[in-house]
Amino acid sequence: MTQHQLVLHTPDGRPMPAVWAYRLYAWLLTRMPREEGDWLHQTGEHPISQFLFYDKDTQQMVWTVNLLCTELETRLSPPLLETNTIDLHGCPISVERQTIRKVPGPEALIFQGREQCRKRVEIRFLTPTAFKQAGRYAIFPQERLLLQSLLGRWNYLCPDYPLTDEDAISALLEGIHIVDYALRTTRYRMKDTAIPGFCGKIQVEAKLPLPLLELWGALVCLAPYGGIGIKTTLGMGGTQISFQRENPASL
Amino acid sequence: MTQHQLVLHTPDGRPMPAVWAYRLYAWLLTRMPREEGDWLHQTGEHPISQFLFYDKDTQQMVWTVNLLCTELETRLSPPLLETNTIDLHGCPISVERQTIRKVPGPEALIFQGREQCRKRVEIRFLTPTAFKQAGRYAIFPQERLLLQSLLGRWNYLCPDYPLTDEDAISALLEGIHIVDYALRTTRYRMKDTAIPGFCGKIQVEAKLPLPLLELWGALVCLAPYGGIGIKTTLGMGGTQISFQRENPASL
């Protein structure tokens, strides 16, 4: 499983809107045989997450593509690596630079989680993020929705280490709290629909017994690869994490 | 019942932190006999709400004081109107200008609500705002908490028009939705405590049968006078409202 990050440039140097991730995804699907693209559409969960983010600090437009199963990696890594220009509806997007890293497997994530777990974590929602709850879009990131999303992604991507123990999940939910945030609503417009979501950042504090704290850390470490919330294949839910100073409670 | 708005100036022209509202409140209490100040402290609900807000657009520091019962109005309106300088711990704050308006009574609020009720409303939380829920501070403005706060304030300030019909309250809650927001957490620091809360704005859409829509409008119109959430006497929960374009659904 592989993460590609491509620094992209438009002909006029202007940033692309985040929603062009959808066009980039369509272009990516043309890099493999049609029947395989169809198979991808038919599965409920998607072994690919991708998003487009303009980093104001570096003034760079970065397209992140996470290929989350071996088949997709085999099919799409080579064409991605060979690409110098992406033709998007007649607009030639040049690939300035490309980095590639291995998506950590479950053991590595658990190790990372163990290293980091004593700290407060900041989760940045770089592209519009939303959850579905009782048939509606949820536009605030409640702890329950966040945890459900991370668990769902973990169980899909790490099927050999399933996290399904209801007691442990309840205890996790009891122990995590969003303690700070700066968020605003936004819309992700695709074709004729505008999906309501939010962008911004939250800080989550965990007060948990050690084994669960490590588990929480591992789940969070998966987020930059799997994304958070709905439609991460189409460009929503692009996520960065950073572990912060020690929790005050643990000092 | 009266709303005073005082434009204040510090000696060095710099804005005061919002939390100085607490000092201003203490100063205000010295304008009336001690035993009356004590009475104010002992009541659970407070017939006064006040907050300090620096308006970036006009570059003015405005202190809003809502005197929400006849007794307080009689006692405090005259000294407020006569004040040219407020001595805050040795710092002389000058009163540049003062406006005074009548707080609308229940009939006027119901009339205002009727005029405005078809529209989406934007609620701006100008000073740190928080709710209490199950013994914790709630740092997201859920619809239920918002409605409970508005209803509590209404029933306290308009006791002749009590809103206690559980079915109506349930229907109101069903019909109102926060559809947009831009919010961030903050702390309101008083003495040795730091109360977590949020600032920013939300947009609320109401899909309700007409009588309830009018009621919702009236409740919202009370918010700039009564404040929203906890500790509105001490400077938290200072609120502005503005009714927006027609709801898309009602076009």
Side-chain angles (χ1 to χ4, degrees), chain A residues 105-169:
Chain A
E107 290 95 343
L109 288 168
I110 290 167
F111 181 77
Q112 280 183 25
R114 189 168 296 160
E115 293 290 293
Q116 302 287 3
C117 65
R118 282 203 161 276
K119 297 173 187 165
R120 190 186 279 214
V121 66
E122 180 171 287
I123 303 177
R124 290 170 61 95
F125 304 101
L126 302 177
T127 63
T129 304
F131 302 97
K132 272 238 173 163
Q133 185 183 36
R136 292 181 65 93
Y137 293 109
I139 56 171
F140 289 105
Q142 303 159 38
E143 288 88 350
R144 176 182 300 276
L145 299 171
L146 191 67
L147 186 63
Q148 280 171 348
S149 174
L150 291 172
L151 283 168
R153 221 54 55 91
W154 178 279
N155 288 334
Y156 176 66
L157 296 174
C158 310
D160 297 337
Y161 295 77
L163 300 175
T164 53
D165 178 340
E166 286 300 330
D167 290 341
I169 293 170

Side-chain angles (χ1 to χ4, degrees), chain B residues 129-140 142 144-145 148-149 195-196 198 229-231:
Chain B
T129 304
F131 302 97
K132 273 237 173 165
Q133 185 183 36
R136 291 181 64 94
Y137 292 109
I139 56 171
F140 288 106
Q142 302 159 37
R144 177 183 298 274
L145 299 172
Q148 280 171 348
S149 174
I195 300 172
F198 55 86
I230 62 170
K231 302 203 188 291

Side-chain angles (χ1 to χ4, degrees), chain A residues 139 180-181 183-185, chain B residues 139 180-181 183-185 187:
Chain A
I139 56 171
D180 268 306
Y181 67 86
L183 296 166
R184 58 171 59 240
T185 43
Chain B
I139 56 171
D180 268 307
Y181 66 86
L183 295 167
R184 59 170 60 239
T185 42
R187 301 286 182 280

Side-chain angles (χ1 to χ4, degrees), chain A residues 21-221:
Chain A
Y22 187 66
R23 299 185 184 180
L24 288 166
Y25 174 67
W27 169 84
L28 189 61
L29 292 191
T30 65
R31 303 297 100 182
M32 63 181 177
R34 192 188 181 86
E35 58 274 19
E36 293 188 24
D38 289 347
W39 158 78
L40 202 59
H41 272 301
Q42 281 154 16
T43 60
E45 290 269 359
H46 297 288
I48 179 170
S49 87
Q50 55 89 25
F51 65 95
L52 191 59
F53 174 65
Y54 180 71
D55 186 334
K56 280 185 189 144
D57 293 339
T58 61
Q59 300 201 325
Q60 282 182 338
M61 193 88 224
V62 181
W63 183 31
T64 301
V65 183
N66 297 295
L67 304 172
L68 301 170
C69 71
T70 315
E71 292 82 348
L72 271 183
E73 192 184 342
T74 311
R75 290 289 176 193
L76 290 178
S77 263
L80 267 175
L81 282 169
E82 286 156 16
T83 296
N84 295 314
T85 309
I86 299 171
D87 183 59
L88 280 195
H89 302 259
C91 176
I93 308 292
S94 59
V95 179
E96 189 185 293
R97 199 156 45 79
Q98 185 160 171
T99 53
I100 181 166
R101 68 166 64 91
K102 212 175 136 29
V103 174
E107 290 95 343
L109 288 168
I110 290 167
F111 181 77
Q112 280 183 25
R114 189 168 296 160
E115 293 290 293
Q116 302 287 3
C117 65
R118 282 203 161 276
K119 297 173 187 165
R120 190 186 279 214
V121 66
E122 180 171 287
I123 303 177
R124 290 170 61 95
F125 304 101
L126 302 177
T127 63
T129 304
F131 302 97
K132 272 238 173 163
Q133 185 183 36
R136 292 181 65 93
Y137 293 109
I139 56 171
F140 289 105
Q142 303 159 38
E143 288 88 350
R144 176 182 300 276
L145 299 171
L146 191 67
L147 186 63
Q148 280 171 348
S149 174
L150 291 172
L151 283 168
R153 221 54 55 91
W154 178 279
N155 288 334
Y156 176 66
L157 296 174
C158 310
D160 297 337
Y161 295 77
L163 300 175
T164 53
D165 178 340
E166 286 300 330
D167 290 341
I169 293 170
S170 297
L172 271 175
L173 187 58
E174 280 290 303
I176 60 169
H177 294 288
I178 297 171
V179 289
D180 268 306
Y181 67 86
L183 296 166
R184 58 171 59 240
T185 43
T186 177
R187 300 286 182 279
Y188 197 68
R189 294 180 198 281
M190 293 183 301
K191 291 179 182 168
D192 299 332
T193 59
I195 299 172
F198 55 85
C199 275
K201 59 186 177 180
I202 61 173
Q203 290 206 6
V204 185
E205 200 175 84
K207 291 184 180 171
L208 290 163
L210 194 61
L212 286 173
L213 201 56
E214 293 178 356
L215 193 59
W216 167 246
L219 285 171
V220 168
C221 288

